[in-house]
Amino acid sequence: MSKKPERSPGVLLILDGWGLGEDNEDNPIHLADTPYFDKLDYREIEAVGTRVGMPADAKGSTAVGHEVMSGVNYIHPMRQIQKNINDKVFINQITDREFKDTAQKGGALHLMGLVSNNMEHSDIRHLYAILRRAVAKGIQKIYIHFFSDGRGTPPFSAVRFAEDLTEKTDKIASSKVDIEIATVGGRDITMNRSDDSFNKSLTTQSAIIDAQGPREKDIFTVLKKAYDKGITDQYVDVTVLGNYKGAANNDMFLHWNFRKDRAWMLMYLMTEPEKRIKKKIKRMDYKKTKREKTLDYSSLKFMTLIEVYKDVPCEVVYPDKKQEYSLGSSLEDFGYSQFRISGVDKAQAVVLLSGGSRVKPFKHEKRITISLPKEMKRYSDGYDKNKGEKGYKLDPYEKYPEIEIKELTKKIVSVIKDSRGKEFLIINIANGDMVGHTANREASIRAASAVDKALKKISAAVLDMEGTLFITADHGNLEVLHTEDGTPSTFHTKNKVPFAMVSKETIADETLKFKSGGCLKDVAPTVLAVMEPSYKKIIKETFMGEILAGKI
């Protein structure tokens, strides 16, 4: 056994998308070889619903799950938005003011967002409510930049939403108002969140601002061509539609998604100074527009419903409220060195354990992001260019369901074994979510088995260092392959998730096991109370969640 450090490490391991479903043939976790998880003594906790600050009918999500687990007093943006919708019309002083100003200047309104009913990133009903108000405030030209889903919704459902949108806009628009779908693109591109894939966001920006890119007559032509190749909605190429010519002076842009992690990068490109963007993306030739002679970019107005990242330089309808305490800030206050470890897909998620509004690392925090394996990265890059063609029929996560878990596990074990002093690791393993979105049976079973092997290795490393391992998940996904009507379930579920504590003490003493009936907001106070039992009273008074650990 390794020499026990002065202070044993703590580890919070988040199994992204690992819900607790029924033990049947439609549950890949049940079908997979998962001997470690099968023996894990966990409690079922709620990951959705009003107890965690979400609307009753909303599904779980990565961003919400992680922010709730941070321990902040989380209020889902949908609840704020819904308060501003009266008789199917979105009425808000900030948007009213800007709509009126744009109308007076003769500018067009551009609405960017996920046209979907998934209620994870957006709700199509919000789009309709915003459209009704914009028309009432005198805007005569409205462009919709249609981000297609197919991940939080069935994989070939965008055409249904496009038909509904066309029907609704015909009714909303008056004889003096023109509403048209100007661009379309799958969420994998238009809502890219990975620093490794900045080109996707650049492609989206170029289409929206300069009308640059492939062009088709309408959205239905684009979707038909994609479907004929077997390309699902989330991977539809960004395409300019009809006679759309791009932004014009005095136009207004509103990103109406209500979730941060897949909206921040596009807004970063659109709103930050060019010099800062060039440094970020390492592209010295970057320009916000190629039409400097005809487009005064400074005349454009940008707005988001939520604060997609701290101090985003544009108008925000619902700014983040200052949160005094979080899991991350408390670990810092207690003197822990923190490690935030994940793959590229969830690098932003582990940051949320500091509270939703904090971006910068704490003084004693180190962030480690594991890149995709070279073979998968090559295929993924090729898929972006040749999806649907020979050799590129499979979604990258179907073809490589293990993703980066081998390299990620190796790094986690290394950090644990090198632990000295007060250290705490916050880890996200993404396979359950990223592969769950494919609804591919074989890939999902392989993903579940790979996660279980990683769990075993990480647990062994923690126990060897006489540390404490907390295991949970942010929401469900992987555990359901099909909906009740047989449609592939590529989206998140409302199922409960596991919460377990593994240490030499819990193995020896059953009274240390967690209490039942908890939810995600209980994770932070429970973790902190276990790691710092002498501060249990303060922790209990500070956080809104309950301490689920038994005898401390």
Side-chain angles (χ1 to χ4, degrees):
M1 180 183 291
S2 301
K3 183 180 179 181
K4 184 177 180 179
E6 182 181 335
R7 188 66 176 258
S8 302
V11 178
L12 173 60
L13 181 55
I14 301 165
L15 307 180
D16 212 297
W18 190 283
L20 299 172
E22 298 180 15
D23 290 342
N24 57 31
E25 294 301 303
D26 204 53
N27 182 351
I29 298 174
H30 170 66
L31 298 174
D33 182 22
T34 55
Y36 181 87
F37 186 77
D38 292 343
K39 295 179 180 178
L40 186 65
D41 187 2
Y42 58 80
R43 298 293 179 263
E44 298 184 5
I45 63 172
E46 294 180 18
V48 299
T50 55
R51 288 186 67 194
V52 297
M54 298 173 65
D57 54 350
K59 301 172 188 173
S61 76
T62 296
V64 172
H66 284 70
E67 195 162 350
V68 172
M69 277 190 279
S70 76
V72 300
N73 183 18
Y74 179 78
I75 302 296
H76 197 288
M78 277 186 71
R79 294 172 66 178
Q80 297 174 290
I81 296 168
Q82 287 166 350
K83 287 181 180 179
N84 283 153
I85 295 178
N86 182 25
D87 195 23
K88 298 183 179 181
V89 178
F90 179 76
I91 302 175
N92 177 276
Q93 289 183 346
I94 297 173
T95 51
D96 276 1
R97 181 188 69 228
E98 300 304 330
F99 287 164
K100 182 179 179 181
D101 183 65
T102 299
Q104 290 175 343
K105 293 177 179 177
L109 172 64
H110 298 252
L111 296 173
M112 309 175 291
L114 188 67
V115 184
S116 162
N117 64 355
N118 77 355
M119 294 189 289
E120 293 168 26
H121 294 269
S122 67
D123 187 333
I124 194 171
R125 293 172 296 182
H126 296 168
L127 172 60
Y128 297 150
I130 293 168
L131 282 168
R132 293 185 184 102
R133 191 59 172 177
V135 169
K137 284 297 176 181
I139 292 180
Q140 296 183 2
K141 184 67 180 181
I142 302 175
Y143 295 110
I144 296 172
H145 301 283
F146 190 112
F147 301 169
S148 52
D149 196 347
R151 177 165 160 159
T153 57
F156 299 100
S157 59
V159 66
R160 170 164 56 88
F161 293 110
E163 290 170 347
D164 189 66
L165 177 60
T166 302
E167 180 182 337
K168 288 290 197 306
T169 53
D170 285 345
K171 294 178 180 178
I172 293 171
S174 66
S175 59
K176 296 181 180 179
V177 180
D178 182 21
I179 304 175
E180 65 179 79
I181 303 175
T183 65
V184 61
R187 59 179 280 173
D188 177 73
I189 308 167
T190 56
M191 290 162 50
N192 168 56
R193 62 186 170 193
S194 171
D195 285 347
D196 283 358
S197 302
F198 246 111
N199 280 337
K200 295 179 180 180
S201 300
L202 292 170
T203 297
T204 305
Q205 180 189 32
S206 183
I208 293 173
I209 300 297
D210 285 341
Q212 294 292 309
R215 188 180 292 267
E216 293 288 353
K217 67 176 183 177
D218 58 39
I219 189 172
F220 299 104
T221 302
V222 175
L223 293 176
K224 184 179 185 307
K225 288 186 175 182
Y227 293 172
D228 286 347
K229 291 183 177 181
I231 298 172
T232 61
D233 295 335
Q234 68 168 320
Y235 294 112
V236 171
D237 285 329
V238 176
T239 307
V240 181
L241 304 175
N243 296 315
Y244 178 62
K245 294 179 173 59
N249 292 341
N250 300 312
D251 282 0
M252 173 182 171
F253 292 78
L254 171 60
H255 201 313
W256 57 277
N257 277 14
F258 53 66
R259 182 169 146 185
K260 301 175 182 181
D261 61 330
R262 283 192 175 273
W264 81 269
M265 192 171 292
L266 180 60
M267 292 310 300
Y268 184 92
L269 291 176
M270 288 186 164
T271 62
E272 292 287 349
E274 281 189 356
K275 185 177 181 181
R276 182 173 297 171
I277 296 172
K278 288 177 180 179
K279 184 178 179 180
K280 173 78 172 176
I281 67 176
K282 298 179 176 60
R283 286 270 300 272
M284 294 302 106
D285 61 340
Y286 169 80
K287 289 184 178 295
K288 288 181 178 291
T289 178
K290 297 177 181 177
R291 299 184 293 133
E292 297 97 330
K293 293 182 179 180
T294 58
L295 176 63
D296 177 9
Y297 198 90
S298 65
S299 75
L300 303 182
K301 185 181 301 179
F302 295 94
M303 177 183 286
T304 58
L305 283 187
I306 62 165
E307 193 171 351
V308 293
Y309 61 91
K310 187 172 176 58
D311 298 327
V312 56
C314 70
E315 191 84 64
V316 178
V317 180
Y318 305 108
D320 281 343
K321 293 182 179 179
K322 186 177 180 181
Q323 303 284 2
E324 296 292 340
Y325 303 100
S326 69
L327 176 60
S329 67
S330 297
L331 289 169
E332 177 77 9
D333 291 342
F334 283 134
Y336 285 85
S337 295
Q338 297 180 58
F339 293 86
R340 308 290 178 95
I341 311 176
S342 71
V344 292
D345 291 298
K346 303 295 180 175
Q348 296 299 317
V350 289
V351 175
L352 293 173
L353 272 296
S354 298
S357 61
R358 186 179 179 92
V359 177
K360 292 182 179 180
F362 292 104
K363 182 179 179 180
H364 301 102
E365 175 189 338
K366 183 177 181 180
R367 296 175 183 174
I368 301 172
T369 304
I370 306 300
S371 298
L372 295 175
K374 291 182 180 179
E375 185 179 348
M376 182 179 180
K377 184 66 167 65
R378 282 195 298 269
Y379 179 84
S380 184
D381 291 344
Y383 185 84
D384 289 340
K385 299 174 183 176
N386 306 293
K387 60 179 85 79
E389 304 295 339
K390 184 178 180 181
Y392 293 97
K393 297 289 186 181
L394 290 177
D395 176 310
Y397 297 95
E398 289 181 276
K399 189 173 177 66
Y400 298 97
E402 290 81 9
I403 321 180
E404 69 282 296
I405 197 166
K406 183 177 180 180
E407 296 81 3
L408 181 64
T409 304
K410 184 178 180 180
K411 184 62 178 180
I412 293 166
V413 170
S414 174
V415 172
I416 292 170
K417 288 186 174 181
D418 289 342
S419 177
R420 295 294 182 271
K422 294 180 71 171
E423 295 186 359
F424 197 93
L425 287 69
I426 296 176
I427 300 161
N428 180 292
I429 292 182
N431 303 66
D433 193 41
M434 302 308 295
V435 183
H437 282 303
T438 72
N440 180 296
R441 177 181 293 268
E442 181 183 350
S444 296
I445 292 172
R446 285 173 57 188
S449 295
V451 170
D452 192 75
K453 291 176 182 176
L455 274 173
K456 182 179 179 180
K457 290 180 180 179
I458 295 167
S459 176
V462 172
L463 291 175
D464 189 46
M465 296 296 288
E466 299 188 31
T468 304
L469 171 63
F470 304 90
I471 301 171
T472 191
D474 52 353
H475 58 78
N477 185 348
L478 186 67
E479 77 280 6
V480 179
L481 285 172
H482 297 90
T483 62
E484 291 182 1
D485 64 3
T487 303
S489 178
T490 57
F491 28 88
H492 298 167
T493 70
K494 297 180 181 180
N495 287 333
K496 292 182 179 180
V497 298
F499 190 27
M501 178 169 62
V502 179
S503 68
K504 290 190 174 181
E505 287 77 13
T506 59
I507 293 172
D509 187 348
E510 286 293 322
T511 65
L512 293 173
K513 302 297 184 182
F514 289 160
K515 294 181 287 186
S516 300
C519 67
L520 287 183
K521 71 178 181 181
D522 303 327
V523 171
T526 300
V527 167
L528 291 169
V530 171
M531 298 304 295
E532 295 291 333
S534 60
Y535 291 95
K536 181 180 178 180
K537 183 180 178 182
I538 296 174
I539 292 165
K540 189 174 182 179
E541 293 172 348
T542 301
F543 289 88
M544 296 189 69
E546 294 184 28
I547 297 172
L548 298 181
K551 185 175 70 178
I552 297 178

